Amino acid sequence: MSKKESFVKGTLILAAAALVARVLGLAQRVPLDHIFDDIGRASFGVSNNIYLMLLTVATAGIPSTLSKMVSERYALNRPEEAKQVYHAALLFSAAAGVIMTALLYFGAPFYATYIADVPESAMAVRAIAPALLLFPAIAMMRGYFQGRNNMMAGGISQIVEQIARVVTAIILAYILLQQGYSNTVISAGASFGSVLGSIAAFGVMIYFALKLRRADKALNLNYNSSQKLPQWSVYKDIFTLSIPIVLASLTIPVVNVIDTSLAVPLLIDQIGRENATAALGILTTRAQSVAGIPPVLAIALGTSLIPVISAAYARRDETHLKRQITLALRISILTGMPIVVALAVAAYSVNGLLFSGLEGSGIVAMLTLGTIFQITMMTTNSILLGMGKSRISMYYVLAGILVKLAGSFLLSKVFGIYGIIGATALCFIVITWLNLRMLKSIVNFEIMGKRWGGFALAVLISGGIGYGLNQAGIKLTEVMPERLAYLIVCLVVGAVVVIVYLVLLVVLGVISRQEIAGYPRALQKILNPLMKLQPARVRMKE
């Protein structure tokens, strides 16, 4: 298999694993939303968000750095050095796991009571803490396998982990509900599913590690060497490369933790503790799970172009670099926008279809609408990382988080929970703007140039039609079962928004025949037949 084929296959495996993980995450939230009351939703959301942030601190960046260090040493026929680097990373993961678990377990009552102001969530936070014992080691093992050009191990372990986590969380929550326990205990049981997921993932990685050891033994790889790498130099290399990536990767987890930490304290004087806790539960259990859908496809498509951008930058090929940056951003925006619009305008029906009630539809719609800026932020972050600008990206992320904090305090006073959500979008916008400014200082490019007007028109028209269909379709609940009616509305709105949006992009000249030749093959198959609809006067301008 060629390097290009191997890379593409690896990228597809990891993208598929990420997509399955995101879908399973949503699949978990739906039954849990029906089991939980407001306290249960808020407690589960608090435990999940603080856990994900600490997990990112313990693991993000280091696996990719480890992958790079391992692959380089195997390329130079120095497997013994790769093994030493791997062992050093595993030692770090063991220490990080113990520290993070202890921090989360013993700090849970203080965080739940005095920061998040949801005292009932302490048990759920403690229940999820042991998952951090194994996940740092799992992340290092995934990084090592990637360095050995084995993407399958990480992909399968991620899928198995999600299945085990989702299934056990739902089963435990249901059993505790049937036994008559309070939602405080039920949310802790659901949170403990992450611990069982980590055990399942670790088991998969151990299986692949033993399999790889047997393969290495059969190849007679030389792991015996009198030359020992200084431990401090290994850690210096790992942390120098990974710390900026870790901080740049923290944007979404930190934003979610800010929301779970500040929502109740900021809203309690306006709407009371009960309503503030209910709003937090809807934001964390419903809105965040729905808003997690749009970035999946767009980021997968954009990420496939990042190695090409990195290579072009290394060669100082400005023409190719300009073309690839433009392509990555354009694909991310054009593919992400219709999903964002469809979910936002049909938020009421999505809420009715998936969850236990219709309350909070506005929260779901607004958070989902803001994910288009999350998509641009993540894409531009990836481009900067591919160009070796991780330190600059880190500073921009810190600036965005400060904007999120300030915006949450200021906007919540006027707009309540919607002000907190607006501050999230503002955070993503600021980071995107700073990233684009830095990229344009390196190479002059345009995302859409004079086509922004046509793009905006396509979004507004498709969104308006979708909203009208949603409002009309809601009346179906009067003549048929509610969930069936909401399912029909969601399917119709989704299909119509996407079709109208794509047709308008073609008719208004936002995309051209020449341009889509550089798009991924899957997109070309969709767009090429539509190009027949493009007026001749528009084609003449190409």
Side-chain angles (χ1 to χ4, degrees), residues 127-356:
I128 207 170
L132 287 169
L133 277 172
L134 291 178
F135 266 122
I138 293 167
M140 301 310 160
M141 295 171 84
R142 286 172 179 168
Y144 176 72
F145 275 98
Q146 287 178 30
R148 297 290 304 272
N149 202 29
N150 183 340
M151 309 296 178
M152 190 67 74
I156 291 177
S157 72
Q158 191 174 354
I159 292 170
V160 169
E161 170 220 324
Q162 290 294 327
I163 292 172
R165 181 176 68 86
V166 170
V167 171
T168 55
I170 295 169
I171 290 174
L172 287 171
Y174 181 76
I175 290 172
L176 291 170
L177 177 68
Q178 295 301 310
Q179 294 295 320
Y181 285 96
S182 69
N183 260 248
T184 301
V185 178
I186 295 171
S187 63
S191 296
F192 190 73
S194 292
V195 180
L196 299 175
S198 72
I199 294 171
F202 189 65
V204 172
M205 296 310 298
I206 290 294
Y207 165 77
F208 277 101
L210 293 173
K211 187 176 178 182
L212 184 62
R213 178 180 291 182
R214 287 195 297 269
D216 286 350
K217 197 171 183 180
L219 292 172
N220 291 319
L221 285 180
N222 178 28
Y223 284 119
N224 300 316
S225 174
S226 57
Q227 185 178 358
K228 298 291 182 183
L229 293 175
Q231 201 88 333
W232 64 268
S233 69
V234 173
Y235 286 124
K236 180 184 176 183
D237 290 343
I238 289 175
F239 292 128
T240 301
L241 292 168
S242 63
I243 286 176
I245 299 174
V246 170
L247 295 176
S249 302
L250 274 171
T251 315
I252 309 301
V254 167
V255 164
N256 289 340
V257 166
I258 289 172
D259 286 343
T260 54
S261 301
L262 297 182
V264 173
L266 289 177
L267 299 175
I268 195 168
D269 291 337
Q270 294 180 36
I271 57 177
R273 176 179 294 279
E274 187 176 332
N275 288 332
T277 303
L280 173 61
I282 289 168
L283 177 63
T284 55
T285 304
R286 298 184 185 179
Q288 287 178 2
S289 57
V290 173
I293 297 172
V296 174
L297 176 61
I299 299 305
L301 288 168
T303 302
S304 65
L305 293 166
I306 302 306
V308 182
I309 290 170
S310 181
Y313 182 71
R315 294 194 309 267
R316 299 291 187 265
D317 186 346
E318 188 169 322
T319 303
H320 191 57
L321 184 63
K322 176 181 177 179
R323 184 166 59 249
Q324 294 304 324
I325 291 174
T326 301
L327 187 60
L329 287 166
R330 197 173 288 171
I331 288 176
S332 293
I333 294 170
L334 292 179
T335 57
M337 199 71 217
I339 305 172
V340 168
V341 171
L343 287 172
V345 299
Y348 187 89
S349 297
V350 171
N351 213 8
L353 172 65
L354 297 177
F355 302 114
S356 59

Side-chain angles (χ1 to χ4, degrees), residues 352-522:
L353 172 65
L354 297 177
F355 302 114
S356 59
L358 293 165
E359 63 275 5
S361 297
I363 295 173
V364 175
M366 186 169 176
L367 189 68
T368 303
L369 202 57
T371 55
I372 189 61
F373 303 113
Q374 179 186 337
I375 288 169
T376 57
M377 178 203 72
M378 294 174 76
T379 305
T380 50
N381 268 351
S382 295
I383 294 171
L384 283 176
L385 291 174
M387 297 166 69
K389 304 294 182 183
S390 56
R391 192 172 297 275
I392 293 170
S393 178
M394 172 186 72
Y395 293 139
Y396 292 166
V397 165
L398 291 174
I401 288 171
L402 290 175
V403 168
K404 165 63 182 173
L405 280 168
S408 295
F409 278 99
L410 295 173
L411 296 176
S412 65
K413 296 182 183 298
V414 181
F415 303 106
I417 187 67
Y418 295 101
I420 293 173
I421 296 171
T424 298
L426 197 59
C427 165
F428 297 153
I429 291 169
V430 167
I431 297 173
T432 297
W433 176 72
L434 291 170
N435 286 348
L436 287 173
R437 193 180 68 163
M438 169 54 63
L439 288 172
K440 288 194 174 185
S441 71
I442 298 170
V443 58
N444 189 29
F445 66 93
E446 289 183 339
I447 301 174
M448 290 194 212
K450 296 179 180 179
R451 306 181 199 179
W452 281 112
F455 171 73
L457 197 58
V459 171
L460 289 172
I461 292 174
S462 60
I465 292 172
Y467 182 76
L469 287 171
N470 181 71
Q471 294 303 106
I474 289 171
K475 295 180 181 178
L476 288 174
T477 57
E478 299 172 5
V479 296
M480 64 174 64
E482 285 192 355
R483 293 203 189 279
L484 178 59
Y486 290 133
L487 174 62
I488 293 171
V489 174
C490 287
L491 292 174
V492 170
V493 171
V496 170
V497 166
V498 171
I499 292 169
V500 171
Y501 170 82
L502 288 175
V503 169
L504 287 173
L505 288 184
V506 172
V507 171
L508 296 172
V510 179
I511 54 178
S512 64
R513 192 180 299 275
Q514 181 183 0
E515 176 188 320
I516 64 174
Y519 284 9
R521 192 170 298 173

